[in-house]
Amino acid sequence: MLFRHPAALFVRSGRHLPRALFHASPAHFALKHFKLADIGEGITECEVVKWNVKPSTPVHTFDPLCEVQSDKASVEITSPFDGIVKELFVEEGQVAKVGQDLCTIEVADDGAAAEPSPPSSDAPPSEQSESSGAGYGAPPESVQPSHPPVNADGAQHSTPTPARRPHPLDPNVSPETRAQLSSAKDVLATPSVRHYARKHGVDMSLLAPGSGKDGRIEKRDVDAFLQRGSAQSSVQQRTSALRAPETHSDKEITVELNRTRWNMWKAMEKSLAIPQFTCSTTLDLTDLHNMMPILNAHIPVQYLPPSARPSTANQVISPASFHAPPPPPDVPASAHYTRLTYLPILLKTLARTMQEWPIFRSSIASSPSPGDASAGNARPTMTIRPHSDISIALSTPTGLYTPTIQAVETQTVYALAAQLRHLAHLGRQVPCALTPNEMPRRGGTVSVSNVGGIGAVQSAAPVLVPGGGVAIVAIGRARWEWDVDRDPKGERRLKLGVSWSADHRVVEGAELAAFVEAWRSWVESPQRLIADGV
């Protein structure tokens, strides 16, 4: 039996090797170049945060190779081959372009070994085994026998082969099996949770299985582990809290922009190439404000935290007495809330207006570059989407992200509120826990920035960046004003300032003004949503 010389080093150290490296005939090998794939629309480069392998390390299919960070999310890249890592082309902290080689993996080329030459019959089997491994420094006992051993009575028995580690997301593997095979590397956890555990020095294999779905380890599992050990060091913590604070230095500090802010820098520079038309106005939320107590009193139970859910213990007549209704959808704890805000209703009405205006459901499909000689007669094209996809500007500890809520017009106001809560929770994690599920390759055609949730801002000048859709709106903070437009005597009304910017290459100024007025008719008459849903 033949095997590769780098593999022999790891057999001796007791590590498992990919089964594709063992052959009963002379092996042929090939170098596979593994390139950085396109992980999202508009993403042209990623930063390699961490390598999980080193040169001459054997890997299985679906083993984690590295973790990369884009301006949208952190992604763990897995190996597509069984083989041995030969060379790493991008170091940790460096930036790799999409399509650039990340590493090379030497794999067994079974096609080239389709007609193996039989070994010489003059040499005894023991000599063949020794000759195939002696040249690589591996002892004969480290090589798997090509035939099953024979008992004293002449019966053959097979040596059990160790089970391969299942893919962490394999739905065919039960949580019990996954927990038995789990280690610090193959436990189920998001990159943000892994980073949080490494930061606090917690071995994740001690936490498996976690409290999440299918045994996934959550941040609360790491916190619970740390709290159990914090009681022993409480005295030291109280002592250190009494120490005098360190004085700050008067020296200037130079801080390099992180990956997200550097991408924001480049996006803002590219935005100068887009001519933008802007307009501002105010929306009257008085009628919507009067409806909020009724909407808050009827929040579906699945969106309420367990402590706020009504008790059904004393319920005499149950709706399920005749037939059990379908169970409500699973809502994570991070999406629970007890009070609605205006934002999900504004998103719902905006999505209904986008259905009336196809241009605001459109994205630029192609645009010829100025230096392209063949672009003389080529014209840009627009793609009209069937649904209203809206991106939300989200300020996080690591920078600005724009997750997307898809098909907003098909969702209820309560479901939109839950999604907003969950996106805010993911964005607050360090590093950011937003994934391609929340940051799809195609972002929204309209972006919303809720600047009023941060301060008493009435208007702003939002900037539209390439790939950010055809329009963006900044929503200020609502405030009560004395309005004399409706009644000369005046009345107290709740007004909300909104500021729009649109891509003037495809959206006319009159179209944006008419679109905003159509949106106003939905916001200032929220009763239309009732008739629209009937």
Side-chain angles (χ1 to χ4, degrees):
M1 182 176 298
L2 302 179
F3 57 91
R4 332 193 21 210
H5 59 283
L9 301 177
F10 293 93
V11 172
R12 184 179 299 174
S13 63
R15 295 186 62 175
H16 295 297
L17 293 173
R19 290 178 290 184
L21 298 180
F22 293 94
H23 298 264
S25 58
H28 298 262
F29 305 98
L31 276 178
K32 299 289 187 180
H33 290 258
F34 184 64
K35 301 178 182 293
L36 177 62
D38 185 5
I39 61 175
E41 183 180 26
I43 296 178
T44 59
E45 58 186 15
C46 294
E47 178 184 354
V48 177
V49 179
K50 175 187 176 184
W51 277 104
N52 297 315
V53 295
K54 298 179 180 180
S56 302
T57 302
V59 293
H60 292 285
T61 305
F62 299 119
D63 277 358
L65 285 179
C66 62
E67 180 182 332
V68 298
Q69 171 77 40
S70 70
D71 58 340
K72 291 187 175 181
S74 297
V75 179
E76 187 177 72
I77 298 179
T78 58
S79 173
F81 311 113
D82 281 344
I84 290 183
V85 178
K86 298 297 293 182
E87 186 177 1
L88 306 180
F89 296 109
V90 183
E91 298 181 358
E92 294 182 357
Q94 290 186 346
V95 176
K97 300 287 186 180
V98 172
Q100 178 180 346
D101 290 343
L102 292 179
C103 64
T104 55
I105 302 176
E106 195 169 23
V107 301
D109 189 357
D110 295 333
E115 297 180 359
S117 57
S120 174
S121 60
D122 298 334
S126 60
E127 295 180 2
Q128 295 177 10
S129 299
E130 293 178 2
S131 63
S132 64
Y136 307 111
E141 60 270 17
S142 298
V143 182
Q144 298 280 348
S146 58
H147 301 285
V150 180
N151 292 331
D153 55 359
Q156 294 183 350
H157 67 88
S158 59
T159 303
T161 303
R164 295 184 65 185
R165 182 180 63 86
H167 191 280
L169 300 180
D170 188 353
N172 298 321
V173 180
S174 63
E176 294 77 9
T177 305
R178 184 179 291 111
Q180 294 175 0
L181 299 176
S182 63
S183 65
K185 289 185 177 181
D186 56 16
V187 294
L188 275 176
T190 59
S192 61
V193 176
R194 293 179 186 275
H195 174 83
Y196 185 74
R198 288 195 304 268
K199 179 180 177 181
H200 292 82
V202 177
D203 184 1
M204 299 192 68
S205 61
L206 302 177
L207 308 180
S211 60
K213 185 178 180 181
D214 295 333
R216 185 183 300 273
I217 295 178
E218 304 289 350
K219 182 176 178 292
R220 58 177 176 268
D221 299 324
V222 181
D223 292 336
F225 181 85
L226 294 173
Q227 289 177 1
R228 289 195 295 268
S230 62
Q232 302 176 358
S233 58
S234 58
V235 178
Q236 292 85 347
Q237 292 178 356
R238 287 194 296 266
T239 303
S240 60
L242 298 177
R243 297 176 182 174
E246 298 181 359
T247 58
H248 295 282
S249 174
D250 294 334
K251 297 181 179 180
E252 295 181 351
I253 300 177
T254 302
V255 179
E256 182 179 351
L257 296 181
N258 61 18
R259 179 68 185 162
T260 306
R261 293 189 181 274
W262 172 232
N263 279 281
M264 183 173 64
W265 174 299
K266 293 184 291 185
M268 291 298 106
E269 288 185 332
K270 293 179 181 178
S271 68
L272 299 176
I274 302 178
Q276 304 187 26
F277 177 84
T278 62
C279 68
S280 301
T281 186
T282 57
L283 303 177
D284 193 327
L285 303 185
T286 307
D287 290 346
L288 178 59
H289 173 77
N290 296 332
M291 290 177 56
M292 295 301 289
I294 300 176
L295 298 178
N296 282 319
H298 295 84
I299 297 177
V301 65
Q302 65 266 23
Y303 299 115
L304 295 172
S307 59
R309 296 178 181 177
S311 175
T312 58
N314 299 326
Q315 188 175 8
V316 179
I317 302 177
S318 172
S321 59
F322 176 71
H323 181 73
D330 293 332
V331 179
S334 58
H336 291 163
Y337 60 92
T338 58
R339 186 178 65 88
L340 274 177
T341 62
Y342 299 120
L343 183 58
I345 305 177
L346 294 174
L347 294 180
K348 179 70 174 184
T349 54
L350 179 60
R352 294 300 306 143
T353 311
M354 293 169 63
Q355 289 295 307
E356 301 173 358
W357 288 78
I359 191 172
F360 291 94
R361 287 185 284 114
S362 304
S363 57
I364 300 177
S366 64
S367 179
S369 59
D372 190 358
S374 62
N377 297 325
R379 297 182 181 179
T381 59
M382 303 285 291
T383 300
I384 301 177
R385 305 182 189 179
H387 297 293
S388 302
D389 301 334
I390 301 178
S391 296
I392 306 297
L394 188 62
S395 178
T396 72
T398 55
L400 179 65
Y401 292 85
T402 53
T404 301
I405 303 179
Q406 298 177 320
V408 176
E409 83 282 358
T410 64
Q411 304 187 44
T412 66
V413 171
Y414 297 111
L416 293 175
Q419 288 199 50
L420 291 172
R421 292 273 299 184
H422 185 59
L423 291 176
H425 168 76
L426 296 178
R428 285 193 296 266
Q429 308 303 309
V430 179
C432 183
L434 293 170
T435 67
N437 292 331
E438 296 82 28
M439 309 280 292
R441 294 192 57 176
R442 296 199 313 171
T445 58
V446 172
S447 300
V448 175
S449 177
N450 185 22
V451 294
I454 302 175
V457 179
Q458 298 182 30
S459 63
V463 178
L464 192 64
V465 299
V470 296
I472 181 174
V473 57
I475 300 176
R477 176 171 294 184
R479 67 174 187 174
W480 291 96
E481 297 180 356
W482 192 255
D483 186 8
V484 295
D485 293 337
R486 296 172 178 265
D487 187 352
K489 297 180 180 180
E491 59 180 329
R492 190 167 175 261
R493 309 290 295 184
L494 183 63
K495 297 296 185 70
L496 175 71
V498 293
S499 305
W500 281 88
S501 293
D503 191 337
H504 211 358
R505 297 174 299 178
V506 294
V507 179
E508 298 179 5
E511 289 176 328
L512 178 61
F515 174 78
V516 174
E517 289 302 312
W519 183 34
R520 179 196 306 276
S521 67
W522 282 94
V523 174
E524 298 186 355
S525 300
Q527 299 85 354
R528 291 183 60 186
L529 291 174
I530 301 176
D532 185 68
V534 175

